[in-house]
Amino acid sequence: MPIWLVVLVKSGILLFVVITTFAYAMLAERKVMGWMQLRPGPNRVGPWGLLQPAADAAKLMLKEDLMPRTADPLIYRLAPFLSLLTAFSVYAIIPFGASSAGTWAIGNVNAGVLFLLAITSLGVYGISLGGWASGSKYPLLGSVRATAQMISYELAMGLSFIGVLILAGTTSLDGIVNAQQRLWFFIPQFVAFVVYVITAVAETNRSPFDLVEAETELVAGFHTEYSGLRFGLFFIAEYVNMLTVSCIASLLFLGGWNAPFGWTWVPGIVWFLLKVGFFMFFYIWLRSTLPRFRYDRLMAFGWKVLLPIATLNLLVTAVVVAVWS
Amino acid sequence: MSVLFWGLAVVLVASAMWTIMASKPVYSVVALLANFFALAVLYLTLSAEFLAMIQLIVYSGAILVLFLFVIAMLSSGVASFSVGPNRLPRIAVPAVLLVLIALGLVVVGIFMPHPAPLPLAGAAVNAGAVGDANVFGSVADFGRALFTTYLLPFEVTALILMVAVIGVIVLAGEHAPYVGTPRRAEEVRKSLREAIAREGD
């Protein structure tokens, strides 16, 4: 097969898988949160509510698409697509299994981690442009918050990556996972791991860092004015981003597709998906457990706690690696 | 590759034009975003992987986001940038001439003999590295050049930027209530409170 056809087929499969995962991640979130709050969660559509995503999709597609008179039509329409585009394009380089066992990624980029950082740093545009273009107060506040929050936490996130890069000695995701065959990086890089998990929640604007769409203050934040399928696109982007940060956490810190305790009789992809699933559950757990940050505390936490810790961790890692080798 | 180059060139020029001619500042930001993205792809076609990614991370991911932040805050309505007559045609001719002269200088500069890079740290870029590390433009290659051959310029640049940042804090801190020493902050807060009280009368 020519290379472009391979890429096209892989992208198609991946798109289908990611969208299906989104649908059931959403259902899982509602179910798990329901159980944690001692209620059954959605259970009317299909057995155990398993067809709920289909019902939701039908509802979103049939809803009227509204646009405020004060909105900027061009940017208002562009923003959800920008959000979705950045959310999906990360999957171009995420490997789901060892490259020795066939190619489990669309592209294996040498600067893989940098590509991840580059694309996730673009994710803020959809939210911030969408909020601005709505021409309405609450969305604007939401988008201004999003911009400040994502810039602040991106720094600590990037610094938490660098410790891993120093240990692995490469920026390719494949190489980083292979470097973890003996020891997963969350042990030597525990501080970076904690910083990453926290910043990842903040980057995806999920509770307890969901000030961007804090419904008690901002109605629905940046997507207040959006309805129907355009809102749906933002919604998909949020969950896909959640999946992305879970994948990155598994690849960088939990050894990707490497099996724990030498249990290699289970295929690598299963291990990878289990780890990703663990993080998805963790984020749902956080959401139903923790109250929302106050905005000034959020900023202070990002700049005065996470950033110094991440910098210190980087410094110590660099010194240890330099002395060791 | 040539098709890709010309396609990107068209996108780059068009988005640059849109950036300076857009009626609303936010459109300028979006156009500039497209421009940065196309530029990153152009770097990729030159196999300058690291530069492409840094272009996206630093310029699109940080600097342009700050532009957007300020512009969105200041122009929260969707009012147009300017309502006056379009003055672009009047400055267009001198601007085009200037650009042509600048381009001419660049072309002359390319064909002039280059001075050798500063051999500061003594170590030349090592060409015998492992695997893809010595591919032009790769992360390893870039890093090695930056931290050996060009170490001094790199550190000096960092120092200059640091000075600029501190300068901004000093300049802006004069009127910012939460910057500076706690005592100074308290003084500013007090004067602000007094000003607000006067407004109330």
Side-chain angles (χ1 to χ4, degrees), chain A residues 70 72 110 125 128 132 147, chain B residues 24 27 49 60 64-65 68 75:
Chain A
T70 48
D72 184 298
N110 272 329
Y125 284 101
S128 98
W132 175 84
T147 318
Chain B
K24 293 175 185 169
Y27 286 3
E49 223 173 37
S60 323
L64 198 56
V65 174
L68 184 63
S75 62

Side-chain angles (χ1 to χ4, degrees), chain A residues 115-274:
Chain A
F115 182 84
L116 282 181
L117 271 176
I119 297 296
T120 47
S121 70
L122 296 183
V124 65
Y125 284 101
I127 292 176
S128 98
L129 285 173
W132 175 84
S134 300
S136 162
K137 288 186 206 70
Y138 295 121
L140 182 73
L141 286 172
S143 77
V144 167
R145 279 183 178 188
T147 318
Q149 176 179 335
M150 288 171 94
I151 283 198
S152 313
Y153 279 74
E154 218 169 66
L155 275 173
M157 187 188 227
L159 285 177
S160 74
F161 283 176
I162 299 178
V164 171
L165 297 187
I166 290 178
L167 284 191
T170 172
T171 48
S172 123
L173 287 169
D174 219 41
I176 289 174
V177 174
N178 286 334
Q180 296 181 71
Q181 270 166 356
R182 277 184 301 150
L183 183 66
W184 294 357
F185 282 156
F186 84 98
I187 300 169
Q189 285 291 312
F190 189 73
V191 178
F193 177 61
V194 173
V195 170
Y196 174 75
V197 169
I198 295 174
T199 50
V201 187
E203 282 285 298
T204 46
N205 298 316
R206 286 185 54 86
S207 182
F209 298 103
D210 59 342
L211 289 111
V212 172
E213 40 190 305
E215 52 282 284
T216 43
E217 306 159 29
L218 298 183
V219 190
F222 71 95
H223 60 63
T224 305
E225 303 291 351
Y226 281 89
S227 65
L229 210 51
R230 284 188 212 286
F231 163 72
L233 295 184
F234 274 129
F235 200 56
I236 297 175
E238 181 188 330
Y239 279 84
V240 172
N241 282 332
M242 203 169 129
L243 190 66
T244 307
V245 295
S246 303
C247 286
I248 299 175
S250 313
L251 288 171
L252 260 56
F253 294 101
L254 286 196
W257 52 83
N258 286 322
F261 317 118
W263 291 352
T264 40
W265 45 274
V266 181
I269 178 116
V270 175
W271 285 119
F272 182 63
L273 294 181
L274 275 178

